[in-house]
Amino acid sequence: MHRAASLSEEVYDAIFARLMALKIPPGARITVDNLVRELAVSQTPIREALGRLEGEGLVIKTHLVGYSAAPQITRARFEELYDLRLLLEPEMAGRAAAAMTDEALSALTGAAGVNLRGAGADERARYPQFARQDAVFHDMILEVGGNELVRETLAHQHTHFHIFRLMFHALVTEEALDEHEALLAAFAARDVEAARVAMRVHLERSRERLSPAFDL
Ligand SMILES: [Zn+2]
């Protein structure tokens, strides 16, 4: 790792990927010295990255103890998150379809993550990327849907990062990409009802895919 301008970004990405792929499991202590050795960089970019991850709810800093990965969400919180998303996101997807412009559609197509499909067999590398893409894609739909309060409320939950840390599974990416394509098709057709249905189906399937994580 080198080049000061992008160094903190690279360090951030490296730690983010470890958290998403569960190489640093939920609740585990994160030692700055270990990361200094593993990433062969100084403490400064690591502390910067950990501060940013703390702001995203993925890392917790405890006075006199140091950093640890945020604990896994509980089953009750998981169900609440999906309830909240199902109440808000299908309606917002419908509004986004109604308000869709060619410009927004092309931005959404770029954000949907479909470009990650088949991009090498390295699921361990692709998974953290998809976690981030999924967050961007859903946030963008809320932006086009036009309700800033709904957008802020969901952004504040850091839903995607918590959900993707529940388990690591190739199917999570492949199936979600199919569902994102269904959403894009509804947006392209400016079909309000189809967009609502596609979002509802996507969230319900996502919930089904991930809920077995609590039975492990
Ligand atoms: Zn999604």
Side-chain angles (χ1 to χ4, degrees), residues 110-190:
V114 287
N115 59 315
L116 297 173
R117 199 189 279 283
D122 189 359
E123 195 62 28
R124 286 265 164 200
R126 201 169 67 146
Y127 193 79
Q129 268 179 290
F130 184 71
R132 184 167 297 283
Q133 286 284 111
D134 194 47
V136 171
F137 180 64
H138 284 264
D139 180 67
M140 207 178 272
I141 292 169
L142 299 172
E143 186 182 9
V144 179
N147 186 316
E148 271 306 305
L149 182 58
V150 169
R151 190 181 172 201
E152 283 166 25
T153 301
L154 287 171
H156 188 66
Q157 299 303 321
H158 306 292
T159 310
H160 301 266
F161 296 164
H162 288 301
I163 284 168
F164 277 90
R165 277 196 323 154
L166 284 174
M167 68 170 153
F168 173 83
H169 201 305
L171 272 183
V172 170
T173 331
E174 274 312 309
E175 292 181 4
L177 288 175
D178 289 343
E179 293 153 21
H180 281 190
E181 280 184 348
L183 269 164
L184 288 174
F187 291 144
R190 272 72 170 172

Side-chain angles (χ1 to χ4, degrees), residues 54-76:
E54 190 186 4
E56 292 173 338
L58 277 171
V59 161
I60 289 170
K61 189 181 183 186
T62 313
H63 184 56
L64 298 178
V65 175
Y67 297 99
S68 56
Q72 192 185 89
I73 55 170
T74 62
R75 182 187 280 271

Side-chain angles (χ1 to χ4, degrees), residues 1-13 45 48 52:
M1 290 190 179
H2 49 282
R3 287 201 302 125
S6 61
L7 182 62
S8 57
E9 194 69 23
E10 282 179 37
V11 169
Y12 169 85
D13 285 345
E48 275 171 20
R52 187 169 156 198

